[in-house]
C-alpha cells in the first residue's frame, strides 16, 4: 500500500518509527507488553465490528477468544496439527460457534442480547472449567507448543511482538476493507435504521449472523495466538471480566471507530503495566474507564468535542449553559 | 398490462380494521395517486405491499408473481421499493453512502471479496460511486455528498430518500407523502421529478395530502377512507365523486390543503 497524501506518508513514517522503537529498547518486558497489546487490538477491533458498527451489544466476546485458545491448544497437543493449521481452524471453529450462537440470539432485543451473550460467556467458562478430561479443568492446559511457522519458529518475546503486530495489522486491513465495502455499509445501515436497511434490500438476519461469525473468527485467531504465546491457558483468562476489559478498550477508542480500537487496546494494556503498582487494580481501571468514557467522551478518545462543549459550558458559568440539550 | 394487482387485502390492528378487502390494480407505466383522510390506511397499504407488515388476507401479484410471502429485502430485488412518510435515512452515513446503499440489491461483493478488495469488488465499488454521484446530481444534492444524512435540511433529506430508492432501480416506486414539509416551489419541482421518474420507465404509486399536486401528477387516483376503497379513476372523475367530496369536505377531515 502506497500512502496517497503527505499526511499518509507522515503516518506511515510515524508507524515505522513506532514499530522500530521497541528494538532500540530491546527489552523483553516491552516486547511482551506490545505482544499482548496486539492480541487485544484484534479482540477490540473484532468486538467493535459487532457493537460499534452493527449495533449488536454482544458482551461475551471472551467466549470466542477462549474457544479459539482451547481449540488451538487441543488441536496441536492432542491431534498433532501444525500451528498454522490449528490457528486457522480455531478461527473457523470460533466463527461457526459465533454464527450458531448469533442466529437465535438475534431474535432478542438489545438488552436481552446483552444478557444472553454474558450468559453464554459464563457457560463457556464453566464448560472449560468442568470438562476436566478434555480441558484440564480449573488447572488449565500447560505445555502448548510455541508456534512453528515452517521457516521461523517463534520463541522470543521479540518474535511474538512482531507476529502480534502483523496479526493486528492484517485484521485492521481486512476489517477496514470490509467496512468500506458493501457488507460493512450494510452493517452500518442496520445499526442506523434496521427497517430502512431491510426496505432497501438488506437481508438483515444474514448480515447479523455473518457479523457474529466474522467477529468471532478474529477473536478465535487472537485466542489461538495467545495460547501458543503463553504456552499455558486456563479458564480464568476467558471470563466475563475479560469481556469487560475488551468492551472498555472498544469504548475508549470509540464505538464505530476501528483505528480507535487500536489505541484503546494499547492504552488499556499499557497503563496498568506501566504503573506496576496499579496491577492489582486492573479491573477497577477498566470499569472506571468504561464509566468515564460513557459519561464524558461517548465517542471515545478520538473525539474530544463533547468534553470541549462541557468545558465551555462550565466556563460560561451556571445559568448560561442551559438545561443540557434535549432533543 | 397490470404491473401490480392487489385483491382483498385486509389488515387489522387489534380490534381496528385498518384495511378492509382492498382491491387495486396498477398499470405499468402509470402514476397512481393514493389519497384518503388521516388514518384511512394508506401507509398500512404501503407497509403490506413493501412487506413491512403481513396482510391478514388477500393477495398481491406483481408481474404475475405472488409477493405476500416474499421477504421485504427480496421484494426490493424484484422491484418493489418504498420511501417512508417519516423519512428513514441512515443518519450517520454520508449522503453518498446512503445512495450507495440503494445499490445493495444490484451488486454482489461479499465478505471475502470485500475483505481482500478483489479487483471485481473494487470495480463494482467504483461503478457504484459514479452512479451514486450521478443520482445525487440528478436530485440537486451533489454538494452535500459528504455530509451526514442527519445534518441535511428536511427538503434535502426527502430528495436523498428518493435518490436512494431510485438507486435500487425500482419497477414500482412507492412514495409516501414525498411533498410533506416542502414549500410550494419544492413541491412543483417534485412534481416534475415524479413525471421524469415515470418517463424513465418506473411505475409510481404516490400518497399525498396536497390535492393540487396529486391531481396534477396522477394518471389515475385511488381513494381510501376508513380502510376501504371508495373511488378510483382519472383525477377529474374522482374529484367530482360524491363520496369523495363527502369524505373530504363534509366529513370534517380538513387536511386536504396539506
Ligand atoms: N403498527 C400499528 N399498530 C396499531 N395501529 C396501527 C398501526 N399502523 C397503523 N395503525 C392504525 O391503522 C389506521 C391506518 O393507519 P395508516 O397509517 O395506514 O393511515 P394513513 O392513511 O397513512 O394516515 P396518514 O394520512 O395520517 O398518514 C390508523 O387508525 C392507525 O392508527
Ligand atoms: Mg400515512
Amino acid at each position: 500500500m502506497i500512502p496517497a497524501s503527505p499526511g499518509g506518508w507522515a503516518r506511515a513514517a510515524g508507524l515505522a518509527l513506532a514499530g522500530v522503537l521497541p528494538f532500540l529498547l530491546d527489552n523483553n518486558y516491552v516486547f511482551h507488553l506490545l505482544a499482548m497489546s496486539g492480541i487485544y487490538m484484534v479482540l477490540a477491533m473484532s468486538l467493535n465490528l459487532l457493537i460499534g458498527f452493527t449495533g449488536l451489544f454482544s458482551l461475551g466476546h471472551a467466549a470466542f477468544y477462549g474457544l479459539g485458545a482451547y481449540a488451538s491448544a487441543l488441536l496441536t497437543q492432542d491431534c498433532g496439527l501444525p500451528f498454522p493449521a490449528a490457528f486457522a481452524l480455531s478461527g473457523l471453529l470460533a466463527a461457526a460457534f459465533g454464527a450458531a450462537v448469533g442466529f437465535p440470539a438475534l431474535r432478542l432485543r438489545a438488552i436481552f442480547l446483552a444478557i444472553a451473550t454474558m450468559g453464554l460467556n459464563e457457560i463457556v467458562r464453566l464448560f472449560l472449567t468442568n470438562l476436566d478430561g478434555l480441558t484440564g479443568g480449573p488447572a488449565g492446559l500447560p505445555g502448548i507448543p510455541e508456534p512453528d511457522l515452517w521457516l521461523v519458529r517463534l520463541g522470543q518475546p521479540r518474535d511474538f511482538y512482531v507476529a502480534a503486530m502483523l496479526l493486528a495489522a492484517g485484521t485492521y486491513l481486512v476489517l477496514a476493507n470490509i467496512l468500506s465495502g458493501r457488507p460493512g455499509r450494510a452493517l452500518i445501515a442496520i445499526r442506523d435504521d434496521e427497517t430502512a436497511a431491510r426496505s432497501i434490500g438488506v437481508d438483515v438476519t444474514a448480515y447479523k449472523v455473518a457479523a457474529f461469525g466474522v467477529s468471532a473468527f478474529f477473536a478465535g485467531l487472537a485466542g489461538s495466538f495467545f495460547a501458543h504465546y503463553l504456552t499455558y491457558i486456563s479458564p480464568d483468562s476467558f471470563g466475563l471480566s475479560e469481556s469487560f476489559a475488551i468492551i472498555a478498550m472498544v469504548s475508549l477508542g470509540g464505538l464505530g471507530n476501528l483505528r480507535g480500537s487500536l489505541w484503546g487496546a494499547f492504552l488499556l494494556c499499557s497503563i496498568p503495566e506501566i504503573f506496576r503498582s496499579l496491577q492489582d487494580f486492573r479491573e477497577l481501571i477498566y470499569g472506571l474507564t468504561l464509566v468515564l468514557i460513557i459519561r464524558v467522551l461517548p465517542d471515545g478518545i478520538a473525539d474530544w468535542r463533547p468534553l470541549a462543549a462541557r468545558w465551555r459550558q462550565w466556563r460560561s458559568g451556571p445559568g448560561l449553559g442551559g438545561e443540557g440539550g434535549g432533543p | 398490462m397490470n404491473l401490480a394487482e392487489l385483491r382483498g387485502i385486509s389488515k387489522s390492528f387489534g380490534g381496528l380494521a385498518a384495511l378492509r378487502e382492498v382491491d387495486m390494480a396498477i398499470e405499468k407505466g402509470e402514476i397512481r395517486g393514493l389519497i384518503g383522510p388521516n388514518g384511512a390506511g394508506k401507509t398500512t397499504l404501503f407497509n403490506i405491499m413493501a412487506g413491512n407488515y403481513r396482510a391478514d388476507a388477500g393477495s398481491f401479484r406483481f408481474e404475475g408473481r405472488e409477493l405476500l410471502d416474499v421477504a421485504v429485502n427480496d421484494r426490493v430485488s424484484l422491484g418493489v421499493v418504498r420511501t417512508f412518510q417519516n423519512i428513514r435515512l441512515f443518519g450517520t452515513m454520508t449522503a453518498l453512502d446512503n445512495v450507495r446503499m440503494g445499490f445493495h440489491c444490484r451488486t454482489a461483493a461479499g465478505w471475502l471479496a470485500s475483505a481482500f478488495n478483489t479487483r471485481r469488488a473494487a470495480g463494482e465499488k467504483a461503478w457504484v460511486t459514479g452512479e451514486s454521484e450521478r443520482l445525487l446530481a440528478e436530485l440537486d444534492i451533489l454538494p452535500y455528498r459528504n455530509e451526514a444524512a442527519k445534518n441535511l435540511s428536511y427538503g434535502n433529506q426527502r430528495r436523498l430518500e428518493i435518490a436512494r430508492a431510485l438507486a435500487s432501480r425500482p419497477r414500482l416506486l412507492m412514495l409516501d407523502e414525498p411533498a410533506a414539509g416542502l414549500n410550494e416551489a419544492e413541491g412543483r419541482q417534485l412534481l416534475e421529478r415524479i413525471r421524469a421518474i415515470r418517463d424513465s420507465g418506473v411505475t409510481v404509486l404516490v400518497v399525498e395530502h396536497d390535492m393540487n399536486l396529486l391531481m396534477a401528477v396522477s394518471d389515475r387516483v385511488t381513494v381510501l377512507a376508513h380502510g376501504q376503497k371508495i373511488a378510483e379513476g382519472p383525477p377529474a372523475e374522482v374529484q367530482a365523486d360524491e363520496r369523495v367530496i363527502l369524505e373530504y369536505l363534509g366529513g370534517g377531515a380538513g387536511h386536504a390543503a396539506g
Side-chain angles (χ1 to χ4, degrees):
Chain A
M1 292 225 308
I2 299 163
S5 64
W9 281 107
R11 242 200 322 272
L15 261 180
L17 202 68
V20 171
L21 202 60
F23 290 102
L24 302 178
L25 296 172
D26 197 19
N27 175 323
N28 272 348
Y29 183 65
V30 170
F31 284 131
H32 166 70
L33 211 91
L34 291 170
M36 288 311 295
S37 295
I39 293 173
Y40 280 107
M41 284 174 185
V42 175
L43 289 168
M45 285 187 287
S46 57
L47 182 61
N48 206 347
L49 184 76
L50 279 183
I51 58 180
F53 290 97
T54 320
L56 289 171
F57 279 81
S58 165
L59 304 188
H61 208 47
F64 308 124
Y65 178 40
L67 217 76
Y70 272 88
S72 198
L74 293 174
L75 284 171
T76 45
Q77 280 183 322
D78 292 4
C79 310
L81 281 186
F83 169 76
F87 178 70
L89 265 179
S90 46
L92 291 175
L93 276 172
F97 184 67
V101 164
F103 199 71
L106 295 175
R107 298 177 170 277
L108 305 174
R109 303 196 140 271
I111 180 73
F112 297 111
L113 177 65
I115 294 168
T117 46
M118 278 165 63
L120 170 84
N121 198 159
E122 273 307 278
I123 291 170
V124 167
R125 196 183 60 83
L126 287 173
F127 263 100
L128 295 178
T129 313
N130 292 313
L131 285 179
D132 292 46
L134 190 63
T135 64
L141 282 176
I144 303 164
E146 285 173 338
D148 193 346
L149 297 172
W150 291 305
L151 292 176
V152 275
R153 200 190 164 89
L154 306 184
Q156 296 302 310
R158 190 187 48 207
D159 310 338
F160 284 99
Y161 156 65
V162 174
M165 286 302 141
L166 289 177
L167 181 61
T171 306
Y172 176 82
L173 287 179
V174 164
L175 289 180
N177 274 343
I178 286 176
L179 285 166
S180 69
R182 182 172 173 268
R185 214 166 29 240
L187 298 185
I188 298 169
I190 291 170
R191 177 193 72 189
D192 279 6
D193 190 330
E194 201 173 308
T195 301
R198 204 175 267 124
S199 296
I200 202 65
V202 177
D203 187 342
V204 171
T205 309
Y207 273 97
K208 282 183 174 177
V209 170
F212 253 99
V214 171
S215 173
F217 173 77
F218 286 105
L221 293 187
S224 164
F225 188 89
F226 174 77
H228 294 271
Y229 172 39
L230 290 198
T231 70
Y232 161 77
I233 49 175
S234 76
D236 293 338
S237 306
F238 310 109
L240 270 179
S241 62
E242 192 67 12
S243 290
F244 287 133
I246 305 167
I247 294 166
M249 291 166 184
V250 174
S251 319
L252 184 65
L255 295 182
N257 181 343
L258 194 63
R259 204 174 291 161
S261 289
L262 300 174
W263 283 104
F266 172 69
L267 290 174
L268 282 189
C269 267
S270 340
I271 291 172
E273 300 276 346
I274 290 170
F275 305 102
R276 294 301 296 257
S277 53
L278 295 181
Q279 279 271 305
D280 295 339
F281 303 105
R282 204 178 100 120
E283 285 179 20
L284 192 66
I285 290 175
Y286 291 156
L288 275 178
T289 307
L290 202 53
V291 172
L292 269 178
I293 279 288
I294 290 168
R295 282 294 298 155
V296 185
L297 292 174
D299 293 318
I301 43 167
D303 190 350
W304 289 85
R305 274 171 305 183
L307 197 62
R310 243 164 216 267
W311 170 248
R312 274 196 304 277
Q313 192 177 339
W314 183 76
R315 286 255 310 230
S316 66
L320 287 173
E323 315 282 64
Chain B
M1 231 242 342
N2 287 334
L3 179 74
E5 254 181 57
L6 293 159
R7 266 182 212 285
I9 297 286
S10 296
K11 174 78 183 173
S12 341
F13 297 103
L16 176 96
L19 290 174
R20 276 178 282 185
E21 307 250 328
V22 174
D23 298 331
M24 181 169 73
I26 300 171
E27 231 172 79
K28 196 169 182 158
E30 75 170 319
I31 298 176
R32 170 65 61 93
L34 182 61
I35 58 170
N38 287 115
K42 307 178 296 289
T43 299
T44 303
L45 192 63
F46 265 41
N47 279 325
I48 284 171
M49 291 172 73
N52 302 97
Y53 290 173
R54 194 168 254 289
D56 297 338
S59 82
F60 172 27
R61 294 192 81 77
F62 183 77
E63 297 192 308
R65 187 180 163 163
E66 177 57 50
L67 282 199
L68 283 189
D69 290 324
V70 175
V72 182
N73 51 292
D74 294 329
R75 292 189 205 192
V76 176
S77 336
L78 292 173
V80 180
V81 182
R82 69 171 303 181
T83 65
F84 292 87
Q85 183 169 350
N86 48 347
I87 307 184
R88 281 174 170 263
L89 290 167
F90 305 118
T92 68
M93 285 191 195
T94 62
L96 182 66
D97 275 344
N98 267 274
V99 181
R100 280 176 169 155
M101 271 314 295
F103 285 92
H104 185 86
C105 65
R106 297 171 61 192
T107 45
W111 291 81
L112 266 181
S114 298
F116 298 105
N117 203 15
T118 59
R119 192 184 297 184
R120 181 182 271 184
E124 189 179 271
K125 208 158 145 186
W127 174 76
V128 166
T129 306
E131 290 291 295
S132 301
E133 284 175 341
R134 199 180 52 71
L135 275 166
L136 284 171
E138 213 168 276
L139 281 123
D140 306 319
I141 44 177
L142 188 57
Y144 309 103
R145 51 179 300 209
N146 294 325
E147 297 268 340
K150 64 178 175 204
N151 295 337
L152 296 187
S153 71
Y154 192 78
N156 285 336
Q157 290 193 357
R158 285 247 174 248
R159 291 192 179 100
L160 182 55
E161 211 190 11
I162 293 178
R164 184 181 68 187
L166 287 176
S168 64
R169 201 163 51 186
R171 301 178 59 70
L172 175 64
L173 176 63
M174 307 197 288
L175 303 170
D176 200 347
E177 304 204 19
L182 300 189
N183 63 34
E184 215 179 304
E186 288 175 323
R188 268 197 306 276
Q189 206 185 21
L190 177 74
L191 194 135
E192 287 311 314
R193 188 150 291 139
I194 293 176
R195 289 204 179 108
I197 291 170
R198 188 266 306 275
D199 292 343
S200 73
V202 181
T203 307
V204 182
L205 175 64
V206 54
V207 169
E208 193 45 69
H209 275 317
D210 184 334
M211 277 293 200
N212 296 331
L213 193 142
L214 190 95
M215 294 300 174
V217 77
S218 304
D219 297 312
R220 282 149 58 82
V221 175
T222 300
V223 188
L224 282 183
H226 315 296
Q228 278 176 309
K229 185 165 89 175
I230 59 167
E232 191 167 71
E237 229 169 80
V238 165
Q239 270 172 309
D241 188 286
E242 267 176 44
R243 286 192 65 188
V244 177
I245 293 170
L246 199 72
E247 279 299 333
Y248 267 86
L249 304 173
H255 55 246

